[in-house]
Structures are given as C-alpha cells and as structure tokens.
C-alpha cells in the first residue's frame, strides 16, 4: 500500500526535494544541516529491499561502494564488499600488473561451476605450479591436469603442491584419471549446484568434482566449499553481488594518464583498461578531483568508444553541467563530491567544493534527465548520512568508514593501548608520491610546488567489514521503515526534508548524559 502523505499542516514544514532545495538555494547544505520527516508506514525495516542498479547489468544488492583509495580498497576489501552485496573499487596507486592480479583475486574468489578452470600439463614441474600460484596470486592449489588436446589426465591435489616436491614432474604426483571423480556435462541438469551438492553428500570425503564430455575433455570444476557457500547464500537476505558467471563483482580505478608531451596517453589507457576487462572487471572508475574537465571527459570517451557496453563511473563533480558533460562523454555513473571527504582539504586549499546534500540535489536533476546513476562520494560518517544521500543518489561511496576495518590494506598500529590503521587522502603528499598525483592534476615527481589536498590520518580499528556493514545496513533499513519505503525508489519518492538549527544538531546526538557505550 502506498504511504499516506503528510497532512496539509505538515506540508509547509516538511518539503519534497524539489521544493526544499530550491527554497534553500542560497545556502549549501550537507548531511547534518537537514533531517528527514517520518511518514505513515506499514513497512518493517527488516523487510526493506536495498537493491540498486547502477548501469545496464551492473546491479548491487546493497547500495554501498568502497572508495578506490590506497588505504581502503584492495582485493580483501572488494571481496568483503561484494560478499555483502556491495562493490569495491580497487585503487590504482600500485603497478598496473599488481592491480590486475588484485582484480583476479576478487573474480576468482568463489566459484560455482568454474567453466574454465586453470589447467596444467603433465610434463610441468611442481615448481612451475608453485611459481604460477605466486605470480597469479591464486588462493587455491589443486589443479586439473590435461593433455595437449584438453583431455583429462588426472588431478594435481594441493597436498603435493609443496616446495619439497618442486623438482618432481606433475605426471609423477597427480591422482590418476581412474581415481578422479567426474560428471558428464549433460548430467548436470538445470541446477548444477544442487546436482553437485547431492554428489558431495553421496561421496564422503570427496571435495572436487570435474565436469567432462563424452570424449573426456575437461569442461569445468565444482568444489564442495563453493557449493556449501552458495547454498547458504541462497537463504541470505542480502545476497553477494555477482556477475552473470556467478563471480563476485569488482571495480577498478583507471586514470587520465598523459604522455611525456602532456597529451592523453590513449594507448596506455586502452591497454590498462583492456587488461582489467580481460580479468573480468565489471566497472571502471575514472576517479579525479575535477571530473568536469577535458582530460576526464576525453578519457571517458576513449573508453566508451573502445568498450561500448562497459559500465563506466566518472567524477568527481558537483554541478548539473558536470553531470551532463560526463554523461554525454559516455559515463553511466557519476561520482558526486568535492571536498566532503573525511581526509579532504580541497575546500581549504583551493577554496572550492559544495556541501554534499546541495551538490547531490543539483546533480540528481541532471542525472534524472540523462538517465544515468549518481554516487554520493565522501563525507559519510554514519548510517543516517547514507539514508539522506540515498534520497538523491543510487549508491554511496565510503572511504573513512571502511579504512579501520581488518580488510583494509595496511597493518594495525598500537598507540597508547588503542589500535589504529593508516588512512590517507589520495591527494595527500604521500599518496601523490606513490602515484595518485594525476587524480589531482599534478606530476608524480613535481618540478613545481604542489599543494596537497588531503591529509594523512589514523582511523581506530573497527573489526570486520561484515560487522561495519551490519550496522550500516540496519540503519538504512530503519530509515526506510520510518519513511514507509519498501525499496530505494520509494525512499527517493517519499523523502521530505527540513533544515536543522545548531541546537537541533546538538539535540540529534546523545546529550546531557555520561555515555557508557557508543552506539556502535
Ligand atoms: P570519506 O569521507 O568516506 O571520503 O573518507 C572518501 C572520498 O574522499 C575523496 N578523496 C579525497 N578528496 N582530497 C580530497 O579532496 C583527497 O586527498 C582525497 N582522497 C580521497 C574520494 O572521493 C573518496 O572516495
């Protein structure tokens, strides 16, 4: 049932986005400047749906993305986000080769039926296999062994892939074909996972099932741990975000790389993007501080021309004109946010940037016209901020919220008995020296003076991404329940805003009490 609207007494106070933001057009507003009004609701928070579509086939089961920052998202973070239904954007402050293997790790993380498993030949050495595992960063060590025609010869079990056997041939160490458990392609039926599940129950102690055709050519591999995980997933409320081949989804940053003459390095950008696409990346992010610029627009155009169906994120912008420009260049999702981030100093250093809710509103009107999605990037410190951002955007991008998690890159450091992790802006001097300078329009080894636009900081260690996301999702669902919204489209439609005075902001946080425990 549709939510019952405000009475006419409510209307002058609690306004829909168009009226509210145009009435407040002379002042830039951010999350804490506003609050959302409750509405009649028949929706229980736990029943709300958080699915969101960002572009074509790119859909998430929760509207949360981790930032492409070098202290936030590498493969561990991206895996954790995707397993929870979100998306991680692998940063590009690392050599290209390393970024490719980070993407591979995410894409190889959990397999249902692995249609094209990594195969080895009988005359290879175990040492070659160990080198391959190291080079490609595989998280597994059991491999099917096939001959030159792709026919199954046996299975090399992880138990024998050890340095002590490095000089032995695979042929000497494999489990022979006659002892390997196989199933014919045609016997898999419509639900290969259910079929494999039955097989593993019937064959005690067997953990791998190979798929072959009548001529014994290898066509796939199913592992028991994957089947168990997938069976569990089918019952979860927020399912992992997967691609059409049942692999976790993953995004990666690319930059508007220039050559020695200062021109856009088209070939390098295309080689980089091509490598990522070959590894299975689901979306590329052209992440810069100033997205409404020729370099970013041209980079998006180069990518769009070469890869017509590829989802592309681009940014950052804070104006409708910026959204229209990047959409016209071919971007599907536009990142909004200049200076709201917890480690950003752009507004202080450059004197530019727009408070995030006003920026999101202005951009959302252009995004609706262009039929592209918006990502609210930066400044989110609590679940209530996400609810507010989602009244205008399709998803949020968070850095600081995840930087203290176990899955973020970097070691935990102890200071006076408390545990922390490093978190730094990609425009901080240290991050720019490590490679991110192009994002801020500077050279990596600057010959001129460069003003950093970000700080190096610490975040208190905050446990796993699962734990952090459970809190955030609970908060988003609660907000949707208050607004009578069963899904994110209804949240956008139902949202009514009012400004908050400084006294109102104080009232919104715990006050006049001695806090024993924080809300986390
Ligand atoms: P939060 O608030 O989630 O913000 O920590 C993360 C977002 O901040 C942006 N970012 C920067 N902005 N200087 C900036 O002005 C920087 O050094 C910087 N590094 C990251 C980025 O959009 C990120 O997702």
């Amino acid at each position: 049932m549709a939510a019952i609207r405000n009475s006419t007494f409510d209307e002058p106070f609690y306004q829909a986005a168009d009226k509210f933001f145009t009435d407040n057009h002379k002042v830039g507003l951010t999350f804490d400047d506003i609050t959302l009004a409750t509405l009649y609701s028949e929706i229980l928070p736990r029943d709300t749906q958080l699915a969101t579509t960002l572009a074509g086939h790119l859909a998430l089961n929760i509207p949360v993305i981790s930032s492409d920052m070098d202290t936030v998202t590498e493969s561990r973070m991206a895996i954790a986000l995707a397993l929870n239904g979100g998306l991680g954007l692998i940063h590009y402050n690392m050599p290209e080769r390393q970024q490719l293997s980070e993407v591979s790790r995410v894409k190889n993380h959990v397999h249902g039926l692995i249609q094209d498993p990594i195969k080895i030949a009988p005359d290879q050495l175990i040492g070659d296999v160990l080198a391959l595992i190291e080079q490609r960063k595989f998280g597994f060590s059991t491999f099917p062994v096939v001959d030159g025609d792709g026919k199954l010869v046996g299975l090399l079990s992880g138990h024998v892939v050890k340095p002590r056997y490095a000089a032995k041939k695979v042929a000497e160490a494999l489990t022979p074909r006659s002892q390997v458990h196989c199933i014919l392609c045609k016997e898999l039926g419509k639900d290969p996972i259910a079929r494999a599940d039955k097989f593993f129950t019937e064959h005690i102690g067997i953990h791998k099932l190979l798929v072959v055709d009548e001529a014994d050519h290898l066509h796939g591999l199913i592992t028991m741990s994957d089947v168990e995980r997938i069976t569990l997933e089918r019952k979860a409320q927020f399912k992992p975000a997967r691609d059409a081949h049942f692999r976790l989804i993953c995004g990666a940053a690319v930059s508007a790389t220039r050559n020695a003459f200062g021109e856009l390095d088209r070939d390098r950008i295309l080689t980089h993007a091509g490598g990522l696409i070959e590894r299975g990346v689901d979306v590329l992010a052209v992440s810069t501080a100033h997205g409404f610029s020729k370099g970013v627009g041209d980079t998006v155009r180069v990518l769009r021309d070469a890869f017509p169906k590829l989802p592309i994120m681009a940014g950052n912008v804070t104006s409708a004109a910026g959204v229209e420009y990047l959409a016209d260049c071919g971007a599907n999702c536009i990142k909004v946010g200049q200076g709201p981030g917890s480690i950003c100093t752009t507004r202080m250093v450059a004197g530019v940037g727009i408070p995030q809710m006003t920026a999101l509103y202005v951009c959302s009107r252009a995004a609706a016209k262009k039929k592209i999605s918006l990502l609210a990037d930066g400044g989110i410190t609590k679940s209530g901020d996400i609810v507010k951002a989602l009244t205008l955007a399709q998803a949020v991008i968070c850095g600081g919220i995840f930087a203290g998690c176990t899955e973020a890159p970097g070691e935990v450091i102890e200071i006076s008995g408390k545990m922390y992790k490093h978190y730094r802006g990609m425009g901080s001097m240290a991050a720019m020296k490590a490679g991110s300078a192009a994002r801020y329009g500077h050279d990596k080894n600057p010959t001129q003076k460069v003003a950093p636009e970000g700080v190096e900081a610490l975040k208190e260690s905050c446990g796993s991404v699962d734990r952090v996301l459970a809190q955030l999702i609970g908060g988003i669902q609660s907000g949707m329940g208050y607004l009578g919204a069963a899904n994110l489209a209804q949240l956008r439609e139902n949202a009514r805003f009012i400004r908050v005075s400084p006294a109102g902001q104080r009232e919104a946080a715990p006050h006049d009490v001695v806090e024993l425990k924080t809300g986390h």
Side-chain angles (χ1 to χ4, degrees), residues 66-69 288-289 316 335 337-347 377-381 397-401 423-428 439-440 452-455:
S66 66
S67 289
D68 42 2
M69 297 172 71
T288 65
N316 283 21
K335 293 183 180 197
Q338 282 169 324
S342 55
I343 33 51
C344 302
T345 52
T346 296
R347 292 193 198 153
D377 182 9
I380 282 164
T381 58
I397 300 186
C398 303
I401 272 187
Y423 180 42
R424 68 185 186 191
M426 295 299 278
S428 64
R439 185 165 168 159
Y440 290 82
E453 288 178 34
V455 297

Side-chain angles (χ1 to χ4, degrees), residues 407-429:
E407 292 87 344
E411 300 304 318
V412 172
I413 38 181
E414 189 181 338
I415 302 173
S416 309
K418 276 199 160 186
M419 303 306 215
Y420 299 89
K421 289 189 96 163
H422 277 293
Y423 180 42
R424 68 185 186 191
M426 295 299 278
S428 64
M429 191 52 95

Side-chain angles (χ1 to χ4, degrees), residues 226-428:
D226 292 347
V227 167
E228 286 178 347
R229 189 160 217 160
I230 291 159
T231 313
L232 270 183
E233 270 175 43
R234 287 180 175 174
K235 296 182 194 134
Q237 187 186 11
F238 298 112
K239 298 186 173 24
R242 296 192 178 280
D243 65 16
H245 304 289
F246 215 74
R247 298 176 303 181
L248 295 179
I249 64 165
C250 177
V254 295
S255 72
T257 313
R258 293 183 180 278
N259 61 23
F261 308 104
E263 298 154 350
L264 207 63
D265 196 338
R266 204 188 136 84
D267 292 343
R268 188 138 173 243
I269 292 169
L270 287 178
T271 312
H272 181 201
L276 290 165
I277 292 166
E278 209 172 282
R279 301 292 175 119
V281 84
D282 298 275
V283 57
L284 293 182
V286 187
S287 300
T288 65
H290 188 20
F292 191 15
S293 59
K294 183 167 165 34
V296 178
D298 286 350
T299 305
V300 173
R301 272 200 195 96
V302 165
L303 293 171
R304 177 53 68 229
D305 288 349
F307 310 107
K309 293 200 174 138
L310 175 77
I312 301 174
M313 294 177 179
N316 283 21
V317 300
T318 44
S319 65
V323 171
E324 286 165 1
Y325 171 69
L326 289 177
D328 290 343
C329 291
N332 313 84
C333 325
I334 313 282
K335 293 183 180 197
V336 176
Q338 282 169 324
S342 55
I343 33 51
C344 302
T345 52
T346 296
R347 292 193 198 153
M348 289 193 298
V349 172
V352 303
I354 303 293
Q356 193 66 339
M357 283 303 286
T358 296
L360 283 171
Y361 172 73
V362 173
C363 292
S364 69
R365 300 305 101 172
K369 198 173 91 193
K370 292 284 177 190
K371 297 194 174 23
I372 47 112
S373 59
L374 275 199
L375 308 171
D377 182 9
I380 282 164
T381 58
K382 49 199 177 300
S383 53
D385 298 344
I386 303 185
V387 178
K388 292 172 190 176
L390 292 174
T391 62
L392 299 166
Q394 276 63 38
V396 295
I397 300 186
C398 303
I401 272 187
F402 294 124
C405 289
T406 322
E407 292 87 344
E411 300 304 318
V412 172
I413 38 181
E414 189 181 338
I415 302 173
S416 309
K418 276 199 160 186
M419 303 306 215
Y420 299 89
K421 289 189 96 163
H422 277 293
Y423 180 42
R424 68 185 186 191
M426 295 299 278
S428 64

Side-chain angles (χ1 to χ4, degrees), residues 50-55 58-64 390 393-395 488 492:
L50 302 188
T52 188
T53 299
L54 302 184
L58 183 64
L60 309 183
N61 296 324
I62 62 164
V64 182
L390 292 174
Q394 276 63 38
L488 295 176
R492 290 194 287 275

